Amino acid sequence: MSKMVNLKINGIDVSVEAGTTILQAAEKLKIKIPVLCYHKDLCIAGNCRVCVVEVVGSRKLVAACATPVSEGLEIHTNSLMVRNARKDIIELLLSEHNADCTKCYRNGNCELQDLAAEYKITNQDFLDLAHGAYTIDDLSPSIIKDDSRCIRCQRCVRTCSEMQSVGALSVANKGSEMKISTFFDRPMREVVCTNCGQCVIHCPTGALIEKTYIERVWDAIADPNKHVVVQTAPAVRIGLGEELELDAGERVTGKMVSALKRLGFDSVLDTDFTADLTIMEEGTELLHRLKANLVEGDHSEPLPMTTSCSPGWVKFFEHTFPEMLDNMSTCKSPQQMFGSLAKTYYAKKIDVDPENIVSVSVMPCTAKKFEADRPEMRDSGYKDVDYVLTTRELAVMIMQAGIQFADLPEEKYDSIMGKSSGAAVIFGATGGVMEAALRTAYELVTGREVPFENLNIEPVRGLDGVREATVKIEDVLPDWKFLEGAELKCCVAHGLANARNVMEKVKSGEVEYHFIEIMACPGGCLGGGGQPIPTNDEIRQKRMKAIYDEDMSLAIRKSHENPEIVQIYKEFLGEPLGKQSHKLLHTEYFERQRY
């Protein structure tokens, strides 16, 4: 049992576990202490000092986020000294900050702006230093870095190094010259940045934002000669509501479809359709690799096979483990499969010249913007996906159009590439791709449903950084006799630091798996870099519950039972891993320099 510590905060007695910080103790009493550099996802830095409090008997103020409690401590969070210190700190931050808020993308959702409003900073007592030689890096297709709006809290640095183990951002110089920089101050597109956008999610201001394509999409919608088709990813339907004043984790699938139709898109379709298609291709590829390795002794397509749905993970893998690229599934992500089919199969079905089709995707992910720009993603003969919007960008378009989102009726996706299964929906949560693949692969091999209650494969679910599961395969169908009695060893990891640990162990031979699912972002796509801000574990849990509730609500919960998937193979693709599907739905990867 943990030792308890007794103290007083603003004259109120409170008892907390030893090791608790003053900030956490105050939260227990519902006393708000402002923070900027602090974030629940990250290690404590204590460098912004906005959270300073007064400790009775101490000569100086202390940072509440970084100071543990002790027995008998007396804390004042709202004394005159504390309030004056906080106002000075906020004013100093503003003096070095480009405070042209009405032109900032984060206007209305900026922690510094909120603090300035809360403390009524109306006079500027310090010199305005915000118009120095700042740079704006907008060369990346995914992320814009604006140094003029940076408050040097270093959240982005800690996110990139701790949570993602990438290290694309770091602190350069000292004192007044200190800045957040990249390797040799190169543009973000030229360094190891994976475009995951976790730095954007954790930045308290507008110093890091997604590169927006809203105006280009509006232009396409307004062009009478263009047929604009939009696809929406699984995690968007459980995140969009947060940007539009609904509760975290509220499912808004039908309202989202309704809003997209009112925005003027010609066809509103579902990325979940190609998530089901991904399972057919990826599941077949896994079974093909198992047979090649276990029966034929052919190791040219090695095990374990890793998923390839997350573009942040793919780029990280290209930089960090180039010698293992053959371990990655050759499947494109559902977004890119959709884009390729939109300008081939779909164009033919609706009798529209693919040159006049504009393919738009709405994703919870900033890395999808980079993925759509990859030169190999043009197998349709055109750029497969023209524009990628984040969940946040779609919310902006809905607000610009004056749509009252909460009052919208529920509508359904259009037909042709609009129908999907519950297995596709759970792609939005970490472990979802693994679970969806097992639901189909196990049934294809045995003729029976996967042996978990209600098809829910609980061992691969949850927010633990790394999870493992073993599925024993028994009483197989004749074509799969070589798998009789085999134990399929699976691993799920989310967040690139966890991914690195798993792959290092695989590389050293410390662990042995057959199939690994990796998502670049914490929680998977539901915690993606394009999702509503703030995002933390409490919110991720609510979004995850919504994902699984959506799965349970659907009549079809296995990818291979989706009638539109059966139809597209019959009419167009032929068979999984066939000539046509390989041309349009699969790709290759390339070694990238670490520096």
Side-chain angles (χ1 to χ4, degrees), residues 276-285 440 559-560 565 569 576:
D276 279 332
L277 198 60
T278 299
I279 290 304
M280 299 304 297
E281 294 293 324
E282 195 170 69
T284 303
E285 183 183 3
T440 287
S559 296
H560 58 282
I565 293 295
Y569 277 112

Side-chain angles (χ1 to χ4, degrees), residues 471-493:
V471 179
K472 190 166 185 178
I473 304 174
E474 297 177 302
D475 299 324
V476 299
L477 297 173
D479 289 346
W480 304 101
K481 283 184 178 179
F482 68 93
L483 288 176
E484 181 63 47
E487 291 188 342
L488 187 64
K489 298 177 181 178
C490 306
C491 178
V492 172

Side-chain angles (χ1 to χ4, degrees), residues 1-5 15-20:
M1 185 175 179
S2 300
K3 180 183 176 183
M4 301 302 290
V5 175
S15 181
V16 296
E17 291 184 2
T20 300

Side-chain angles (χ1 to χ4, degrees), residues 533-551:
I533 301 170
T535 293
N536 52 46
D537 263 355
E538 182 183 353
I539 292 172
R540 293 183 193 106
Q541 287 281 12
K542 291 179 180 178
R543 293 175 186 166
M544 183 172 287
K545 182 181 183 303
I547 284 280
Y548 289 121
D549 286 347
E550 183 97 343
D551 166 39

Side-chain angles (χ1 to χ4, degrees), residues 386-420:
D386 294 292
Y387 305 115
V388 179
L389 303 174
T390 62
T391 305
R392 296 189 294 266
E393 286 173 275
L394 175 58
V396 169
M397 291 184 70
I398 290 169
M399 288 185 283
Q400 287 177 340
I403 295 171
Q404 300 300 305
F405 188 78
D407 298 329
L408 288 175
E410 303 273 336
E411 294 191 46
K412 293 184 178 181
Y413 288 101
D414 295 324
S415 61
I416 314 172
M417 296 170 51
K419 193 172 186 64
S420 60

Side-chain angles (χ1 to χ4, degrees), residues 322-342:
E323 71 281 7
M324 298 178 71
L325 283 174
D326 287 341
N327 288 80
M328 184 169 282
S329 167
T330 61
C331 288
K332 292 180 180 178
S333 73
Q335 169 184 270
Q336 294 305 136
M337 285 190 181
F338 186 101
S340 187
L341 292 172

Side-chain angles (χ1 to χ4, degrees), residues 485-519:
E487 291 188 342
L488 187 64
K489 298 177 181 178
C490 306
C491 178
V492 172
H494 61 111
L496 291 175
N498 293 318
R500 179 191 290 274
N501 290 337
V502 167
M503 296 312 298
E504 289 286 5
K505 289 179 179 179
V506 169
K507 184 178 175 181
S508 68
E510 185 179 340
V511 295
E512 184 178 312
Y513 302 115
H514 298 109
F515 189 26
I516 302 173
E517 181 213 300
I518 292 179
M519 291 291 169

